[in-house]
Amino acid sequence: MKNLLKYTVLTFLVLIVSVTSCTNDLDVAPPEKLSTSIFWKSEADADLALTGLYNFLYASGGGYATSQYQVFAWDNFSDDSYGQYNYGGGTSALSSGITPQSGDFVYNYYANNYKAIAAINSFLANVGKVLQGDKLNQYQGEAYFLRAFNYFWLAQLYGNVVITTEDPFAIDFKSTKAKSDKAEVLKLIEEDLTKAIASLPDKAYKEGHAVKSSAQGYLVRVLLYEKKYAEAAALAKQIIAGNKYALSTNYAGNFFKPEQNSSTEIMFSVKYLQPNLLHQDVALAVSLQRWKGEQGTQDLINEYEAIDGKDTGSSAVFDPKKPFEKRDPRMRLTFFFPGDTKEQGWPFTGDLSVATPGKDSWTNGFYAVKKWLDPTLVNPDYGAIDEADFVLMRYADILLMYAEAENEASGPANAIDAVNQVRARVGMPALATGLSQSDMREKIRHERRVEFALEGQRYFDLRRWGIATKKLNGFIQNPLAPTVKTKYEDKFEFWPIPQTEIDRNAPVLKQNPGY
């Protein structure tokens, strides 16, 4: 990691210095001699540097056309989606397992998050040179939020990882560092988020910069991950009581522009904007819809209730001869189904005007994605442009995290209302009263699956609940190919440290168990 940190910070400085010195290139010090002495001279430098920290949210996920925070690629690691082009590496992870040599997300989350952390540490070490007062506090708060954000990804995926908070230019790059226990990493994350909460503006999230509630929401997520249920419930209740967010009346509008701009529930996202900030290589409509890089599983479709709130096996309104009718509306807002046409939002015309599995990259036995797609695009293909933001946290998650934490801490009495709010937004009936704690737990898990399908939550939920091996090992993704089963091992709770990093930091950096 020593070389990774060194060259990351040099690159970070080259990028932000080039913005301010492009008209006077001959006076810039050689890149190998770059240092903070040629930067951090004015408040404008702090603005450029802070923008640079957020720019790490646009990092590549390592695979073709896949950004690091392209959240729906994570569903390919779960029982919700099949990725026929291995976006994010989820297909290979479930077919052949994860190894220290794995690429895509397995390598890039480790490398990219540490690159971001190095730049954040440099920022925190220097921003006080050019700012003071409230502006300094806010900028530091954003940096603490982003450091916690990056370390939480590392903690969830790799478990025991190296902690580094020093100014990278103060590090002896000949030295090496060992891993810290995951509990220490999570302690740092909590501390950074607490600092961020104290420093960030107490307003609704809109412009792309983290605010107090963004940090609070991530701290709820961390506390729930740590099974600190009472603390998580109390903090989520604070967000709810703050009245800065509400469930949008337009569920689908959370996932495409311009509706995202007026959404009342988005709390943190990766912002895109034509023509300057575009998705990696191609529009989302191309990777999702023309190429069908993610496709829903039958198992996920089966999870959606009938419109009366009962499962399809016990519902009086469900007709097995019309299996895609009278279902939870979120099902049709998330996927397309055989026979769909322009009336259902199907974007293709001509000989593709009727949605047909087995045709135009649609794999028989799976379902084409509708979520995230701009409904105004027609015949999306290479060269199409869209600008949907990747939503990383929204208010529905706060409600369901509150319900889960409250149910685990105190039982279902105070949890049911939050779940019912999420259901009512799409017209689903309220849960029955008198549920036991275990029954409520299953209802919440169901609700999370259908509410956040294709939003990258499922894989982390299964791991957090301790049921990933049970659900994913031997899972049949496609009932038309029952002999093809997925692979998941208990050791995947801690992903392997990329072998290149083990080699760079030998002998002190040890591989995670089982690899």
Side-chain angles (χ1 to χ4, degrees), residues 67-79:
S67 298
Q68 179 170 355
Y69 296 106
Q70 188 167 305
V71 290
F72 40 82
W74 275 111
D75 280 41
N76 295 337
F77 285 81
S78 77
D79 50 358

Side-chain angles (χ1 to χ4, degrees), residues 389-402:
D389 299 338
F390 292 140
V391 180
L392 301 184
M393 177 164 288
R394 53 189 180 90
Y395 183 61
D397 199 8
I398 301 300
L399 289 171
L400 292 182
M401 288 194 293
Y402 168 74

Side-chain angles (χ1 to χ4, degrees), residues 12 47-59 69 116 120 138-139 141-143 145-146 200 205 207-211 214 268-271:
F12 175 66
D47 294 334
L48 288 169
L50 184 61
T51 299
L53 300 186
Y54 282 97
N55 280 343
F56 285 99
L57 295 174
Y58 302 99
Y69 296 106
I120 293 163
Q138 178 180 332
Y139 279 35
E142 292 186 60
F145 169 80
L146 290 170
L200 292 174
Y205 172 81
E207 293 87 10
H209 286 258
V211 294
S214 307
F268 190 62
S269 62
V270 183
K271 293 280 191 178

Side-chain angles (χ1 to χ4, degrees), residues 345-368:
W346 183 246
F348 296 104
T349 62
D351 61 355
L352 298 176
S353 61
V354 178
T356 308
K359 194 173 183 180
D360 194 40
S361 300
W362 186 336
T363 311
N364 276 309
F366 296 106
Y367 295 86

